Amino acid sequence: MKKKFWLGLALASLMAVTAACGSNSGGKSTEGGNSEGKEYTVAISQIVEHPSLDATREGFLKALEDAGLNVKVDYNNAQADQNNIKSISQKIATSKADLALGIATDTSIGLIEEVKDIPVLFAAVTDPLDSKLVPQLKAPGGNVTGASDTNPDAIVQLMDFIAKELPNVKKVGVVINEGESNAVVMSNIAQEALAKHNIELVKAAVVNSSDVQQAAQSLVGRVDAVYVTLDNTVVEGVESIIDVVNKNKIPFFSADRDTVEKGAFATVGFKYFDHGYEVGQMAVEILKDGKKPGEMDVRSPEKLDFILNLSAAAEQGITVTDEMKAYVKDPENNIIE
């Protein structure tokens, strides 16, 4: 890519957090024909339940299963709580896990701060460099590597689509938690891409998901379209945005497929199951083939496509033209009726 990527807690407390986070729940053991008959323990720290993040985890586990590995999964859900993230990371660091996976930026940061003696992989992370998960994308060194869930070209392509196919759009609103570094990085890329078309990006800030509806409502009458990034806080309350944009006939764009399936009009993206599967393949190389994480390049999505939701378009007052549909390479899977 042309751009830099891009661009003790007390035992009682630990036990309480572990119970709250559902340790050892939500995962599954995959029984396979591993030639050595060894059972591996893989610990997962996930920021919150969300369709994209859940699909990432499912793809990751499927890759381990397909490789024939016998895996015991220690799944932990941090419930978007920083205290939980720290306690989960400390628990994993003192466990006998063979590998740890962080799903989302904050949980990945938590793992690398605490886990030093076993391989750590990350997934569903927007910018591993800006988040300081790795010092470089090629052979990052140490015990950490993984895959980003963002290709900056996808954001640029979507903003170019808005400018060309919806010429009346002069201002695009973004509901954003600026405390999430991934959201800031992506909104900055969108702002730069829109500026080339003389389109302004208007921010509506939130701190938690309960703020999302009010933030979306504040954009009504001020913007001609709305966009959301891979912002966990915002996506958790995305149904309220969909309600606002549909009532007010405002075109709604997102950075992920799952939000389009829920009711955004369009994105340029991929399947998070495939993203997780790719990280799972990296885990197989580490566990089965003995590769060192620090020697494995950080990966990013390559199979990008436009995804359009025609029902959402009708709700938002968008006339979908043949020219719009022509952007979609795989219409059978990526044009949603």
Side-chain angles (χ1 to χ4, degrees), residues 8 65 79 89 93 100 115 135 137 144 146 153 166 201 204 213 250 272:
E65 180 182 0
Q79 300 176 341
S89 300
V115 181
L137 300 179
V144 181
D153 289 343
L166 298 175
L201 188 75
Q213 183 171 12
I250 303 172
Y272 269 83

Side-chain angles (χ1 to χ4, degrees), residues 95-148:
S95 72
K96 296 182 179 180
D98 298 289
L99 181 143
L101 170 69
I103 301 179
T105 301
D106 286 353
T107 42
S108 298
I109 291 172
L111 286 177
I112 69 167
E113 288 177 347
E114 301 289 343
V115 181
K116 307 298 182 182
D117 299 328
I118 65 171
V120 176
L121 290 172
F122 56 78
V125 169
T126 298
D127 193 336
L129 294 177
D130 184 73
S131 303
K132 297 181 170 54
L133 291 173
V134 290
Q136 59 197 38
L137 300 179
K138 294 187 69 65
N143 67 322
V144 181
T145 191
S148 166

Side-chain angles (χ1 to χ4, degrees), residues 61-263:
L61 295 175
K62 180 60 173 169
L64 301 182
E65 180 182 0
D66 287 351
L69 296 187
N70 180 12
V71 177
K72 178 182 178 181
V73 179
D74 173 22
Y75 168 68
N76 303 270
N77 181 348
Q79 300 176 341
D81 187 298
Q82 290 296 324
N83 291 325
N84 289 351
I85 291 172
K86 185 173 182 65
S87 296
I88 290 168
S89 300
Q90 290 176 335
K91 185 197 76 167
I92 292 173
T94 58
S95 72
K96 296 182 179 180
D98 298 289
L99 181 143
L101 170 69
I103 301 179
T105 301
D106 286 353
T107 42
S108 298
I109 291 172
L111 286 177
I112 69 167
E113 288 177 347
E114 301 289 343
V115 181
K116 307 298 182 182
D117 299 328
I118 65 171
V120 176
L121 290 172
F122 56 78
V125 169
T126 298
D127 193 336
L129 294 177
D130 184 73
S131 303
K132 297 181 170 54
L133 291 173
V134 290
Q136 59 197 38
L137 300 179
K138 294 187 69 65
N143 67 322
V144 181
T145 191
S148 166
D149 63 355
T150 305
N151 183 325
D153 289 343
I155 303 172
V156 174
Q157 288 178 31
L158 185 61
M159 298 305 117
D160 289 347
F161 174 89
I162 294 171
K164 183 175 181 181
E165 302 302 329
L166 298 175
N168 292 329
V169 172
K170 303 303 178 186
K171 293 184 179 182
V172 174
V174 59
V175 181
I176 182 171
N177 176 6
E178 294 188 285
E180 289 200 27
S181 61
N182 58 315
V184 173
V185 169
M186 296 182 73
S187 67
N188 287 344
I189 294 170
Q191 184 172 30
E192 183 180 338
L194 290 170
K196 294 179 180 178
H197 302 285
N198 295 316
I199 298 174
E200 180 184 351
L201 188 75
V202 179
K203 295 181 180 180
V206 301
V207 175
N208 53 59
S209 57
S210 63
D211 300 331
V212 170
Q213 183 171 12
Q214 183 177 353
Q217 191 65 47
S218 75
L219 293 170
V220 176
R222 299 169 56 212
V223 301
D224 308 301
V226 173
Y227 168 67
V228 295
T229 69
L230 300 175
D231 185 324
N232 293 307
T233 303
V234 173
V235 173
E236 191 174 351
V238 77
E239 288 86 354
S240 61
I241 299 178
I242 293 169
D243 183 60
V244 169
V245 297
N246 287 353
K247 286 180 178 177
N248 293 278
K249 302 298 181 185
I250 303 172
F252 180 34
F253 301 86
S254 73
D256 68 297
R257 181 190 182 95
D258 293 296
T259 301
V260 171
E261 291 180 349
K262 285 185 177 182

Side-chain angles (χ1 to χ4, degrees), residues 9-36:
L9 286 180
L11 178 61
S13 174
L14 178 58
M15 291 175 64
V17 170
T18 300
C21 297
S23 177
N24 290 312
S25 67
K28 66 178 181 178
S29 295
T30 53
E31 302 296 334
N34 179 29
S35 59
E36 291 117 9

